[in-house]
Amino acid sequence: MSFDNRSVDPAAQEMLVHARDLGAKTVWDRHDEMQPLCGFGDLGLCCDVCYMGPCRIDPFGERSQVGACGADAHLIVARNLARTVACGAAAHSDHGREVVEALRNATVIANPEKLKMLAEEWGVAVDHRALAARMASQFGSQEGPLIPLLRAPEEQRRRWEKMGITPRGIDREIVELLHRTHHGVESDPVALLRGAMRAALADGWGGSMIATDVQDVLFGGPQAIRSQANLGVLEERQVNILVHGHEPILSEMIVAVSRDEDLLALARQAGAEGINIAGICCTANEILMRQGMPVAGNYLHQELALLTGAVDLMVVDVQCVMPSLPQVAACHHTKIVTTSSKAHMPGAEQMAFDAHNPKQTARAIVKSAIEAFSRRDPSRVNIPRHKMDLVAGFTNENLPLYLGGRFRAGYRPLIDAVAAGRIRGIVGVVGCNTPRVAQDSNHLALVRCLLAQDVLVVQTGCSAIASAKFGLLRPEAALEYAGPGLQEVCAAVGIPPVLHVGSCVDNSRILSVCVALVAEGGMGGDLSELPIAAAAPEAMSEKAITIGLYAVASGIFTAFTPAPRIAGSSVVRKYLEEDVEKETGGKFLFASNMDDAAKGILAHLDAKRKALKLAPRALTTYVPATGLKSLGCGQAQKHSQERVPEA
Ligand code: NFS
């Protein structure tokens, strides 16, 4: 049995065969066992916000069209979506709060220049405790607007003001949105969607942006850095520690102590040649960007990595961590360690993270991994031989340097390339994996299609890792995949055609790049006038929906697949795909496949170019996203696949 309908990554395909041999169940097996999925739930038509129900609306119009309270399909769909957005915003923003707390307790500041810049912006003394206190106050502030919101172009802020969605305190917006979804409060679906945008903006320009800024202060601003990605980064003869989750506070410390001489000596005593730290999911992106640590994989790799038998310890904190990990780890000697007081996991060991002494926690974790290594059975180790070189670590702050050099640093060269038509536009491709789509297939199909059309791609999250695994983050990828104009620009500047700009909270960096492009001049007055777009091709988490919504609220055209649960309401769908554009300047495209997503994005870029009267470009022939023949990994031939669950 081959598993190429589960993933287009050859490493994953190998591990899925191995999983079957081990008798281990993975997310794909469990997803298949859930079939058929609940049709009402999938359309967003099941309401469980009160205890008269759950109520379900008949999508065929034959039976009940309203719930017991009188809520119709549109209100139910909007309410469910709003709750999703509140949860996504809460997750990102609580991450932001956690790193602000770490800033307050910090004894070492890696990036004093950024501290100084932020202190000025936030109107406090150049002192990390003062900055942390000011930032912390933004979560509970009752009066808006949020301070980082002032970075947005004036025209964008005017639109938010007009719509009444300028976010105030981050917590306030999330709580107010939840309140409005309580039984018998907000009954207008569109008003609720506007409220959801307000909470989403509090995440994008608040919680997430604060998280990114503070992490840069604490751990250093990333620079372009080389590393490798995929399961082949696990080392047969070393102690392998995987860090998984989102907050880099502990993972940075684990990387640091893994170089301590006494711990290395301990590892050697146990028979290991060294200590290898690699990441999964967004924590991987954090330690990749700043430390060049290798990436073991994205969301759907978390269980597969454990099945290699080569992982001695996986340490997790919060978000995107499957509760199944302890069961999967039980196939081998692998230890799962949780560290967050917010995320416990039966079957895992809890090693509480001591915020005042992170070093002690990190050393205890590394020692525990070394101890686990001595119980590893080498005959059961099975590491797929797949790994790929990559360059990551681009940010809104360092891009001007890479683009223009030290003497001409700035966004002008990029704007000139867009204006001249060498670059057709800039698209952020972000987000998760989902077992509803063959892993990475949509990310790769869309990114490769965009590159061939001279679109510069910027990426974060699991999407960036998908591209990394397939070699799109190497500078040489420009010659292999980019259209002639983009190729010329990448060759002149020496950048890959796909820029890895970080983790999911670092989508705020993409907003900041857009802001800088507007500020540089010549490309319109707000984000909605730029030839830019966003895409989430394999969206899975609630955070992804919140990100999509703040992108749209910020004036960005956003292709989103699979669509959130909105198909049950024509009103919600029409507002998000059409009407919202008149208000924010952005809108969604809920494309069911990557061909439609690519066509929609390219048409949008061209329309914006035309409106800006930019040089007409000699159009490269359109290459359908599903028609690309090879992914460059030698094996995968299928792209953009909606997965057909095995019965
Ligand atoms: Ni973001 Fe998706 Fe999770 Fe990161 Fe990956 S699943 S919404 S990309 S790891 S947060």
Side-chain angles (χ1 to χ4, degrees), residues 246 281-282 299 319-320 431-433 461-463 504 540-541 543-544 547:
H246 282 76
C281 280
C282 275
Y299 177 74
Q319 301 171 23
C320 307
C432 335
N433 288 142
C462 291
S463 189
C504 243
M540 170 278 299
S541 80
K543 289 178 292 176
I547 295 164

Side-chain angles (χ1 to χ4, degrees), residues 114-186:
K114 186 145 182 177
L115 172 64
K116 188 159 174 268
M117 190 209 75
L118 288 169
E120 219 159 274
E121 180 186 23
W122 286 72
V124 294
V126 185
D127 168 61
H128 62 279
R129 284 170 299 257
L131 180 63
R134 186 91 169 97
M135 285 175 157
S137 75
Q138 290 284 281
F139 289 84
S141 107
Q142 303 302 310
E143 308 279 324
L146 291 174
I147 292 172
L149 214 69
L150 295 169
R151 297 177 183 176
E154 214 180 308
E155 177 58 21
Q156 212 74 49
R157 283 183 278 138
R158 200 192 51 74
R159 286 176 183 270
W160 296 332
E161 247 346 277
K162 195 167 162 212
M163 292 172 70
I165 62 166
T166 304
R168 301 152 295 181
I170 299 160
D171 296 349
R172 175 169 189 177
E173 296 309 347
I174 294 167
V175 169
E176 185 169 302
L177 182 59
L178 284 172
H179 175 196
R180 290 172 76 179
T181 67
H182 186 275
H183 168 63
V185 185
E186 182 61 82

Side-chain angles (χ1 to χ4, degrees), residues 294-319:
V295 177
N298 45 7
Y299 177 74
L300 286 178
H301 263 34
Q302 58 186 287
E303 293 176 311
L304 305 181
L306 299 179
L307 292 171
T308 61
V311 177
D312 301 298
L313 185 147
M314 177 189 266
V315 54
V316 304
D317 55 14
V318 290
Q319 301 171 23

